[in-house]
Amino acid sequence: SDTLGRAVDYAKRITSTASTSTTMVPSTRLSALPSSWLDVAPTSDFSLANLPFGICSFHACHQPRPRCCTILGDHVIDLSLLAEAGLFDGIDGLSSPTYIFAQSTLNAFMALSRSIWTAVRVRLFSLLVSGDYGDDTNCNSALSSNAALRAATIHPVSEVKMHLPAKIGDYTDFYSSREHATNVGTMFRGKDNALQPNWLHLPVGYHGRSSTVCISGTPVTRPCGQLQKDRDDPKQGSAYGPCRLMDFELEMAFFVGGADNEMGSRLTIDDAKDRIFGFVLMNDWSARDIQKWEYVPLGPFGAKNFCTTISPWVVSIDALEPFTCQTSAVAQTDPVPLPYLQDPNYSSYNIKLEVAIQGEGMDAPAKVCTSNFANLYWNARQQLAHHAVTGCVMKAGDLLASGTISGGDETAFGSMLELSWKGSREVKLGGNGQVRKFLKDGDNVVISGRSEEQGGTGRVGFGTCEGKILPATPSLTPAKTITAKTSGLERYKNVKLYGYWRSSSTWRVRIALAAKGIEYETCSVNLLDGMQASEEHSQINPMRQVPALEYQDASSGSTVRLSQSIAIIEFLEEAFPNAGVTLLPSDPGDRAIAREMAEVVNSGTQPLQNLSVMQRIDEESKGSMSGNIFAKDSIANGLSVLEKLVSTRQSNLGVACGPYAIGTFAPTIADAYIVPQLYNGRRFDVDLPSVCPTLLKVQAAALAHPWFQVSHPDEQPDAPQEKTGGG
């Protein structure tokens, strides 16, 4: 319907023209990157040219639920609150930004198209760039001019906990650095047979374990496994014990994004470039002695499955494109790859990589190698195209790693295996006298990476990827399982709402339906004509009241009816988790407060103002009591309680308080109950300005919101013509 469409088009109505402009994030090759109204150090990895994506929680402000975020300088920005406030609305294809960015992983966002990833990043740029950048349409002041939203949304990085960016379905590790493959091959097979015959023809890789991919800062327990007793006499077999040759591997990895390809269908090089969501740093820890015994004939197993560390911020392809450069190979001509692997834009990114080790007793990490992402013979597009050439399904959240990235000289070797040349020489850790051949317990390995132009601005960095080695232990950690939600839009059909235009209980449900964007048929039940008391209606609502919701359950083929507004709204929230926007705050405490306010109306006041109660009072008292006055007093009492709850809540939130009842920047279930109740208060001549001035401010904000506009009593098809403006 037209009214429902107004709710669905909320984005286009709430955001300014500036927020929907086609502003592009400037290239970092510009001599001067535009500044932000937030302080950003020139040496920060996270300039306006970056704007990566991650998952964080804010424990310092009692918001432990992980949610989507970005970072600018030392400021971590809550994308779920920006979405709640409508600042991502109007982006083509981004139909449910509140749902997308309230998730505890980036998977839902990753599953969208590259054009949407780009548009979100552009919107973030417009929200964060200072107002003096270029033409006014490039800057959106919706965040910078809103003190409450700024206070709620922007947090110091020191108060933030980072989480894995995605639920990783599958993890693949490639072996794509020619320099690294040559070094390792030379050690074990000699210089003349360094590369296996297939290496220059395809990106060699193996499937790793996604279950032990962990976020930077997670301690790494030295693994135990089978170790060869005597390398000169394999017949002696193996012994169980802790790894003695613990190693790091300097790698990068990218997350797959976009819609799944069908099983049996392939990805071209051109397809692949739009399926790469973004890159992270990686340390694919290795137990070299365990690997040496187990890897023949199928490759690494336990030696590589105990831990893989990644950096928390996912840097987009768009941020890296200004740093496109030649690979260390320059061209692939001897041999020329097969057609499906030929990249017409064969290239890489100029990302400077560094590994440092801080042993126990050291004041700071000591650099042990520097390399570059360009030291890969097979680039990311080729890796992805090869992975899918057999028809393998590539899903959003899959993680594909580069393999160890080594350069052409000893300072660029990306592992201790190479730096110590299989343990034959010592590697100095700075000038403090400590040396290593392989890693010791207590060593903290720090990988960093960044792209920047010499003398330019706008560094695009990754932060750090680090982990400290703990002594071997026999303890195990049990696996966790996650149950996926089903789609209500596929299961629940033919929704009907039985109600009355003026009924506040019905209005609440209409608000919830508008928030979810669910189409429904209005079935009018005229309370003044007594239709609710009919036998026919009692089959729909045994309480002979409104509202009632009816739907067809496609899974069982049955017709289901629900009564009571609170039950109906809870059903809509649970049955349609991915549709529209939720009325239930994601934080458990906030959700309980919103429900508390709703129940003050639903169970504390509504039963005392029902028409049947008023009529019963008039009849039983034989005129000595007025049902109308009783209802008026009950409504006034309930509103005064709500006034106290809301004003106290908003006062406690202070500057970070939003305009709605519990201080949010989008309506909740509390507003869906309070606003219709104020409508009742006005009908019964309650002195609202005296009883509940704070609630009137909440009402003003809500009535400007499309959910409340399309669900307003005067807009309903069964409202009197003088209300709707009909002739």
Side-chain angles (χ1 to χ4, degrees):
S1 66
D2 290 341
T3 53
L4 184 61
R6 287 163 57 193
V8 174
D9 290 338
Y10 172 39
K12 298 176 182 177
R13 303 183 57 185
I14 193 170
T15 53
S16 66
T17 302
S19 68
T20 57
S21 72
T22 56
T23 308
M24 293 304 295
V25 179
S27 166
T28 51
R29 293 186 188 277
L30 294 177
S31 59
L33 185 78
S35 62
S36 171
W37 46 269
L38 286 170
D39 291 333
V40 181
T43 56
S44 173
D45 277 357
F46 306 111
S47 69
L48 265 176
N50 197 342
L51 301 179
F53 298 100
I55 295 292
C56 68
S57 55
F58 306 109
H59 288 258
C61 56
H62 308 292
Q63 295 184 31
R65 180 190 57 81
R67 75 285 304 278
C68 300
C69 57
T70 189
I71 184 170
L72 178 61
D74 292 329
H75 312 282
V76 176
I77 301 161
D78 186 343
L79 300 186
S80 70
L81 278 184
L82 294 185
E84 183 180 305
L87 300 189
F88 292 122
D89 293 338
I91 293 177
D92 288 344
L94 187 62
S95 58
S96 300
T98 306
Y99 169 78
I100 294 291
F101 293 118
Q103 299 303 299
S104 60
T105 68
L106 288 169
N107 291 67
F109 182 48
M110 289 175 172
L112 303 177
S113 67
R114 182 176 177 181
S115 63
I116 297 175
W117 311 333
T118 298
V120 168
R121 188 167 164 270
V122 168
R123 181 67 59 84
L124 284 171
F125 178 86
S126 74
L127 289 167
L128 295 168
V129 70
S130 61
D132 57 359
Y133 167 57
D135 127 10
D136 290 340
T137 61
N138 291 324
C139 174
N140 179 355
S141 63
L143 178 59
S144 62
S145 64
N146 189 331
L149 187 58
R150 292 199 312 272
T153 302
I154 303 171
H155 302 265
V157 71
S158 59
E159 298 178 2
V160 171
K161 179 180 179 180
M162 299 304 298
H163 304 266
L164 274 178
K167 175 175 168 49
I168 301 167
D170 286 294
Y171 159 50
T172 300
D173 191 20
F174 285 96
Y175 188 53
S176 293
S177 165
R178 183 171 185 172
E179 292 83 351
H180 172 68
T182 300
N183 288 339
V184 174
T186 300
M187 288 181 209
F188 294 100
R189 292 184 300 274
K191 185 176 181 180
D192 293 338
N193 297 303
L195 292 182
Q196 297 283 14
N198 64 349
W199 200 94
L200 291 170
H201 295 269
L202 56 83
V204 173
Y206 71 96
H207 296 290
R209 287 290 299 178
S210 61
S211 61
T212 43
V213 177
C214 60
I215 198 68
S216 176
T218 304
V220 183
T221 300
R222 183 179 293 270
C224 295
Q226 289 197 28
L227 309 172
Q228 187 175 22
K229 287 184 177 180
D230 186 343
R231 65 181 181 181
D232 296 325
D233 184 7
K235 292 182 179 180
Q236 291 191 32
S238 61
Y240 173 81
C243 162
R244 295 187 294 266
L245 307 181
M246 184 82 161
D247 202 354
F248 68 80
E249 288 189 349
L250 170 59
E251 301 194 26
M252 293 193 67
F254 66 87
F255 281 99
V256 175
D260 299 353
N261 55 300
E262 292 185 6
M263 186 173 179
S265 66
R266 296 177 292 276
L267 296 177
T268 66
I269 290 287
D270 199 47
D271 295 330
K273 71 180 182 182
D274 291 331
R275 293 293 307 276
I276 299 173
F277 177 77
F279 286 84
V280 293
L281 302 173
M282 174 181 282
N283 184 348
D284 195 25
W285 303 88
S286 293
R288 298 297 183 189
D289 43 358
I290 294 175
Q291 182 176 349
K292 186 179 188 321
W293 173 245
E294 73 179 4
Y295 86 102
V296 178
L298 296 179
F301 186 58
K304 301 294 290 288
N305 70 8
F306 61 95
C307 186
T308 299
T309 305
I310 62 173
S311 55
W313 296 106
V314 187
V315 177
S316 70
I317 290 292
D318 290 337
L320 292 172
E321 278 191 340
F323 302 99
T324 299
C325 66
Q326 290 183 334
T327 70
S328 57
V330 181
Q332 295 174 318
T333 56
D334 185 20
V336 175
L338 294 176
Y340 79 92
L341 282 174
Q342 292 175 16
D343 186 350
N345 298 304
Y346 177 64
S347 59
S348 186
Y349 300 113
N350 182 15
I351 304 172
K352 301 169 185 176
L353 302 170
E354 180 179 298
V355 181
I357 299 173
Q358 183 174 5
E360 291 185 338
M362 293 176 59
D363 295 331
K367 181 171 63 176
V368 294
C369 78
T370 56
S371 188
N372 197 294
F373 186 64
N375 292 326
L376 290 177
Y377 184 84
W378 298 106
N379 66 28
R381 295 182 294 274
Q382 292 172 312
Q383 291 167 355
L384 183 53
H386 182 62
H387 203 312
V389 71
T390 56
C392 175
V393 178
M394 306 305 298
K395 296 179 175 289
D398 285 351
L399 185 66
L400 275 62
S402 62
T404 305
I405 306 172
S406 295
D409 61 75
E410 294 182 6
T411 64
F413 290 175
S415 65
M416 293 301 294
L417 177 67
E418 296 166 272
L419 290 167
S420 71
W421 204 256
K422 205 169 59 170
S424 64
R425 59 195 181 206
E426 293 180 333
V427 179
K428 294 182 179 180
L429 301 188
N432 59 17
Q434 290 205 36
V435 295
R436 295 288 186 276
K437 292 184 177 179
F438 289 93
L439 300 173
K440 294 183 177 181
D441 292 346
D443 284 351
N444 189 53
V445 179
V446 182
I447 296 176
S448 57
R450 63 188 57 88
S451 296
E452 58 188 339
E453 290 291 323
Q454 185 174 1
T457 59
R459 176 186 289 182
V460 174
F462 294 79
T464 61
C465 170
E466 56 187 282
K468 185 176 182 178
I469 301 173
L470 302 181
T473 172
S475 63
L476 300 174
T477 302
K480 297 180 180 179
T481 58
I482 299 175
T483 303
K485 295 182 178 179
T486 56
S487 172
L489 293 172
E490 297 172 358
R491 179 176 176 183
Y492 306 110
K493 307 285 187 179
N494 304 324
V495 179
K496 295 181 180 180
L497 177 62
Y498 293 85
Y500 185 51
W501 70 279
R502 202 176 68 179
S503 161
S504 58
S505 298
T506 306
W507 189 0
R508 303 166 195 162
V509 176
R510 290 196 299 260
I511 294 168
L513 288 164
K516 287 293 180 184
I518 298 170
E519 295 186 357
Y520 63 93
E521 177 185 345
T522 297
C523 300
S524 180
V525 180
N526 194 318
L527 301 184
L528 298 183
D529 290 348
M531 289 179 62
Q532 73 276 20
S534 69
E535 187 63 29
E536 179 183 358
H537 186 68
S538 71
Q539 301 301 312
I540 297 169
N541 188 338
M543 288 292 291
R544 301 176 188 264
Q545 297 173 342
V546 293
L549 190 80
E550 179 183 291
Y551 61 86
Q552 301 290 321
D553 188 342
S555 67
S556 64
S558 60
T559 298
V560 181
R561 297 188 179 107
L562 296 172
S563 63
Q564 306 303 320
S565 62
I566 200 82
I568 294 172
I569 293 173
E570 291 280 359
F571 164 76
L572 295 174
E573 291 288 343
E574 294 294 330
F576 301 92
N578 301 346
V581 179
T582 179
L583 287 174
L584 298 177
S586 54
D587 180 80
D590 291 346
R591 189 160 59 245
I593 291 170
R595 282 190 170 118
E596 175 191 24
M597 294 180 183
E599 283 294 348
V600 169
V601 176
N602 187 63
S603 59
T605 309
Q606 181 71 41
L608 305 178
Q609 69 186 42
N610 281 342
L611 181 60
S612 59
V613 173
M614 294 162 55
Q615 291 173 341
R616 187 69 177 269
I617 290 173
D618 288 335
E619 292 169 3
E620 294 290 331
S621 69
K622 297 180 180 180
S624 63
M625 289 182 63
S626 167
N628 255 23
I629 293 175
F630 178 82
K632 176 181 177 179
D633 291 342
S634 299
I635 293 170
N637 179 65
L639 290 174
S640 66
V641 171
L642 286 167
E643 173 69 15
K644 183 176 181 180
L645 290 173
V646 172
S647 60
T648 300
R649 166 76 175 179
Q650 295 191 352
S651 176
N652 290 340
L653 289 175
V655 69
C657 180
Y660 296 100
I662 70 163
T664 52
F665 293 88
T668 69
I669 193 172
D671 304 284
Y673 276 74
I674 289 172
V675 172
Q677 190 61 7
L678 289 168
Y679 186 82
N680 283 330
R682 194 168 286 108
R683 283 178 51 222
F684 282 86
D685 294 324
V686 175
D687 185 2
L688 298 181
S690 298
V691 173
C692 51
T694 306
L695 299 189
L696 290 179
K697 294 179 182 178
V698 171
Q699 176 185 249
L703 291 179
H705 195 293
W707 304 341
F708 289 79
Q709 293 173 353
V710 301
S711 61
H712 193 281
D714 294 348
E715 295 293 323
Q716 303 317 303
D718 58 335
Q721 289 187 342
E722 63 266 25
K723 296 289 185 182
T724 61

